[in-house]
């Protein structure tokens, strides 16, 4: 699969020379065949208390009972590798004026070899909740008002071909993606409605390449590739279309160091229709708070760039456990910098760092992040709501954090630059890790459209998630998590938002199938649009695994 197309925050080697880099030999770890399926039921009692401000709808304390059903699946065989972590939860409020809530969450990733070492089918899915009331990034605790949160669904699947014709390496891939932000609420940023919210989108990614590794018939390795991307979003009938073709060279200068570079042609167009207008010229808003698209309005170009693209850099690979690369080039009409580091000093320790630069949207970014998730992962959950936390750690290194992707709720595209880091390790009874990152977004919208005011607007997001856990004995242990997210925006109507907190959980296996948990935590939200809110949380629960 061409890295020129998929240069996102979690590619260990995703740059313009990805095809040539992939030709370098990498030792594979042997896998022991196993399939584990564990359905479970949970019941728990949740308590939320105001420490500062009002997060509980005028009540000093809110109490919920919860009933949840879920399943954890892990498969590693000669042909199939994958993990599924899925859960349905019913939150039952003890207060008459607080509605009950249904929470669906899950994360899945799988790969099936249809033809061994040649043709595979890959796919992944995400279901989670996020704040959609304008407190962007404040996803640490979502037990409050039902109107404050929305459900996100993301899915992708497609085949990947990797084979050889003589000394030639031939690669091709196709990916279909779908994303949905499901909300019935017209609540918008900082209270008043903001209709510029993502609804749903479908995207297609197709790539193909052919190349030869260094040293076969020449000291220089080469690759020629092409790709096509299209996303169609329902809000204002927005369309993203990208076509590219390029050639890349890899010149080894030592056993672990190579010079890399490439040049090509790229054409990107982004367009949209305008909102339906009433007799006064004001845009018409639907019952869900979004704009109604004027299907008869002309298509307006918000971005149209084509021409030469190039990049050059270095790749360093001293061992099968360490790789790094950095490139500088020209793309999207300006200089572009990308890089990555992947370090796995042991099976229990991994570090990945990525410097990214691309044109993204809410839907494309979630799909791209999801496609970077390893097939074997551990997904942590918030003990108070059952929601997935922002990061998932790979069982054999790597992982992904969705924090940045889940703060881009607008419907349009944006230039997305930043850095992401993920580290995980463990020794004996201890395990610990951190995910952190920064993203700088510059939004793209058509002049003369209802979104024109956001064109050129900038938002920045900083996040960090850290965890530590220790087994106390064979049947019990303690886990602790802390998190922080800082969102700053220049867009009209969007407040700056800080969200921070942490929690600690004690667990004890009563029997082989029955376990008990107790958790305490605190969550704080500080936004320029409201007073600081700090909430205390507590939970007692039982889980029975079948």
């Amino acid at each position: 699969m061409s890295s020129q197309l998929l240069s996102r925050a979690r590619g260990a080697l995703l740059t313009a020379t990805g095809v040539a880099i992939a030709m370098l030999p990498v030792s594979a770890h042997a896998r022991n065949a196993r399939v584990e399926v564990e359905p479970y039921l949970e019941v728990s009692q949740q308590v939320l208390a105001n420490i500062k401000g009002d997060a509980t709808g005028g009540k000093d304390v809110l109490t919920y009972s919860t009933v949840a059903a879920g399943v954890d699946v892990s498969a590693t065989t000669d042909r199939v590798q994958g993990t599924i972590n899925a859960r349905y939860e019913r939150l039952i409020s003890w207060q008459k004026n607080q509605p009950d809530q249904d929470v669906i969450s899950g994360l899945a990733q799988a790969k099936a070899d249809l033809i061994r070492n040649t043709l595979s089918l890959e796919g992944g899915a995400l279901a989670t909740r996020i704040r959609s009331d304008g407190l962007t990034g404040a996803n640490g605790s979502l037990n409050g008002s039902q109107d404050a949160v929305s459900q996100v669904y993301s899915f992708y699947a497609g085949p990947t071909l990797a084979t050889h014709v003589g000394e030639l390496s031939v690669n091709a891939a196709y990916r279909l993606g779908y994303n949905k932000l499901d909300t019935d609420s017209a609540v918008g940023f900082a209270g008043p409605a903001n209709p510029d919210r993502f609804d749903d989108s479908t995207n297609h990614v197709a790539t193909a390449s052919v190349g030869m590794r260094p040293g076969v018939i020449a000291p220089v390795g080469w690759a020629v590739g092409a790709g096509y991307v299209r996303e169609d979003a329902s809000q204002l009938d927005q369309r993203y279309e990208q076509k590219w073709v390029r050639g890349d060279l890899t010149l080894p200068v030592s056993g672990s160091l190579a010079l890399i570079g490439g040049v090509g042609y790229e054409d990107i167009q982004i367009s949209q229709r305008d909102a339906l207008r009433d007799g006064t010229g004001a845009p018409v808003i639907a019952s869900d708070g979004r704009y109604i698209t004027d299907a008869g309005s002309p298509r307006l170009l918000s971005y149209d760039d084509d021409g030469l693209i190039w990049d050059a850099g270095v790749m360093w690979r001293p061992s099968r456990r360490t790789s790094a690369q950095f490139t500088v080039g020209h793309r999207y009409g300006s200089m572009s910098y990308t890089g990555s580091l992947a370090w796995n000093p042991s099976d229990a320790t991994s570090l990945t760092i990525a410097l990214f630069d691309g044109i993204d949207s809410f839907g494309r970014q979630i799909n791209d992040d999801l496609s970077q998730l390893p097939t074997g992962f551990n997904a942590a959950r918030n003990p108070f709501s059952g929601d997935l936390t922002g990061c998932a750690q790979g069982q054999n290194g790597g992982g992904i954090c969705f924090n940045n992707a889940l703060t881009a709720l607008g419907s349009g595209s944006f230039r997305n630059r930043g850095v992401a880091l993920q580290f995980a390790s463990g020794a004996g009874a201890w395990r610990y890790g951190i995910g952190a990152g920064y993203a700088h977004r510059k939004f793209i919208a058509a002049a003369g459209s209802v979104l024109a005011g956001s064109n050129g607007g900038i938002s920045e997001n900083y996040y960090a998630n850290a965890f530590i856990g220790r087994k106390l004995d064979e049947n019990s242990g303690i886990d602790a998590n802390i998190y922080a997210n800082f969102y700053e925006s220049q867009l009209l109507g969007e407040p700056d938002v800080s969200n921070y907190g942490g929690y600690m959980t004690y667990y004890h296996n009563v029997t082989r199938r029955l376990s008990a948990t107790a958790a305490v935590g605190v969550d704080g939200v500080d936004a320029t649009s409201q007073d600081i809110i700090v909430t205390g949380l507590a939970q007692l629960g039982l889980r029975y695994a079948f």
Side-chain angles (χ1 to χ4, degrees):
M1 183 178 293
S2 168
S3 58
Q4 175 66 21
L5 182 59
L6 300 179
S7 54
R8 302 295 188 245
R10 278 292 175 238
L13 295 175
L14 292 184
T15 69
T17 56
V19 175
I21 293 170
M23 297 175 190
L24 299 180
V26 180
S27 299
H29 296 286
R31 293 186 176 95
N32 296 320
R34 63 177 178 82
V35 177
E36 299 177 359
V37 181
E38 184 179 283
Y40 64 86
L41 292 176
E42 273 187 16
V43 293
S44 64
Q45 190 66 40
Q46 320 279 351
V47 177
L48 286 72
N50 286 327
I51 297 176
K52 183 179 180 61
D54 178 14
T56 55
K59 302 288 185 179
D60 291 332
V61 176
L62 286 182
T63 306
Y64 289 92
S65 297
T66 68
V67 179
V71 63
D72 294 326
V73 180
S74 177
T76 304
T77 71
D78 288 341
R79 295 276 185 172
V80 177
Q81 299 88 45
T83 304
I84 300 173
N85 184 305
R87 176 186 175 99
Y88 164 78
E89 184 166 345
R90 178 72 172 177
L91 277 70
I92 305 167
S93 174
W94 285 28
Q95 284 74 32
K96 292 182 179 180
N97 62 339
Q98 291 292 327
D100 296 345
Q101 299 182 42
D102 295 303
V103 180
I104 299 173
S105 59
L107 189 59
Q109 183 75 305
K111 176 182 178 181
D113 292 329
L114 305 180
I115 301 175
R116 192 185 302 274
N117 299 323
T118 302
L119 181 65
S120 63
L121 180 64
E122 301 178 17
L126 167 71
T128 191
R129 297 192 303 165
I130 58 175
R131 292 289 290 252
S132 58
D133 60 348
L135 301 184
T136 303
N139 297 321
S141 178
L142 301 174
N143 294 72
S145 170
Q146 191 169 9
D147 288 339
V149 298
S150 295
Q151 189 79 41
V152 175
Y153 301 99
S154 181
F155 160 84
Y156 89 94
T160 298
L161 173 70
T163 188
H164 287 82
V165 179
E167 297 292 344
L168 291 176
S169 176
V170 179
N171 299 271
Y174 168 75
R175 189 179 80 197
L176 170 67
Y178 176 77
N179 303 278
K180 173 68 177 178
L181 177 64
D182 188 11
T183 176
D184 295 325
S185 171
V187 176
F189 293 119
N194 184 333
D196 180 25
R197 280 184 292 170
F198 182 87
D199 187 2
D200 70 339
S201 73
T202 302
N203 61 74
H204 306 267
V205 178
T207 63
S209 65
V210 60
M212 186 175 293
R213 62 185 175 85
V216 177
I217 61 175
V220 178
W222 60 270
V224 177
Y228 176 78
V229 184
R230 174 161 171 162
E231 180 183 39
D232 291 282
S234 59
Q235 175 76 308
L236 301 178
D237 193 16
Q238 297 187 72
R239 179 185 300 164
Y240 174 91
E241 195 167 27
Q242 174 190 15
K243 295 168 280 189
W244 60 266
V245 60
R246 61 176 289 134
D248 294 281
L249 297 176
T250 301
L251 175 62
V253 295
S254 71
S256 61
L257 186 67
L259 301 178
I260 55 178
V263 64
Y265 171 83
E266 183 175 59
D267 183 6
I268 300 177
Q269 284 191 350
I270 306 174
S271 62
Q272 64 172 83
R273 300 189 190 279
D274 200 10
L276 187 67
R277 307 277 183 163
D278 62 18
T280 67
V284 180
I285 309 300
S287 59
D288 64 358
R290 297 183 176 94
Y291 293 117
I292 295 178
T293 304
D294 184 356
S297 64
R299 185 162 289 280
L300 304 171
L301 276 177
S302 54
Y303 186 91
D304 187 7
D305 183 73
D306 69 297
L308 185 72
I309 56 174
W310 63 267
D311 50 58
V314 295
M315 181 190 71
W316 180 58
R317 194 163 192 172
S319 71
R320 66 180 178 85
R321 291 186 177 274
T322 304
S323 62
Q325 66 182 43
F326 176 77
T327 64
V328 57
H330 189 273
R331 197 178 180 191
Y332 315 121
S334 66
M335 296 301 292
S336 177
Y337 306 90
T338 62
S340 64
L341 168 68
W343 181 51
N344 295 84
S346 69
D347 291 340
T349 302
S350 67
L351 170 68
T352 59
I353 302 175
L355 180 67
F356 57 90
D357 182 7
I359 294 182
D360 273 317
S361 68
F362 180 74
R364 293 197 305 279
Q365 190 175 4
I366 291 180
N367 269 169
D368 285 343
D369 283 354
L370 188 57
S371 70
Q372 306 295 336
L373 184 69
T375 54
F377 63 84
N378 298 311
R381 290 183 176 274
N382 187 307
F384 308 107
S385 64
D387 291 296
L388 293 166
T389 59
C391 299
Q393 300 286 347
Q395 294 170 352
N396 296 308
I400 191 68
C401 289
F402 295 94
N403 304 65
N404 273 328
L406 295 175
T407 61
L409 296 187
S411 63
S413 295
F414 46 86
R415 178 81 176 267
N416 190 28
R417 287 176 280 190
V419 63
L421 174 150
Q422 196 153 359
F423 171 79
S425 187
W430 291 93
R431 60 185 183 89
Y432 45 89
I434 186 171
Y438 162 76
H440 177 282
R441 302 189 186 100
K442 186 175 182 179
F443 290 85
I444 301 168
S449 75
V450 72
L451 301 181
S454 65
N455 187 48
I458 292 172
S459 72
E460 294 178 291
N461 191 67
Y462 307 78
Y463 71 89
N465 296 63
F467 72 89
I468 186 169
R470 175 174 168 78
K471 291 189 66 175
L472 300 178
D473 54 42
E474 288 302 315
N475 293 310
S476 62
I478 294 177
D479 293 329
N481 293 262
I482 59 173
Y483 54 86
N485 200 94
F486 304 100
Y487 180 84
E488 298 178 348
S489 177
Q490 298 178 3
L491 300 178
L492 182 65
E494 278 197 9
D496 296 341
V497 181
S498 300
N499 181 211
Y500 45 84
Y503 50 86
M504 180 176 292
T505 303
Y506 169 79
Y507 64 88
H508 180 76
N509 298 324
V510 182
T511 68
R512 187 171 66 89
R513 296 186 180 276
L514 181 66
S515 60
T517 61
V520 293
V522 63
D523 180 79
V525 178
D526 184 4
T528 54
S529 59
Q530 65 175 39
D531 295 332
I532 297 175
I533 294 174
V534 181
T535 309
L537 308 102
Q539 179 255 22
L540 292 173
L542 289 173
R543 170 170 170 161
Y544 185 83
F546 294 91

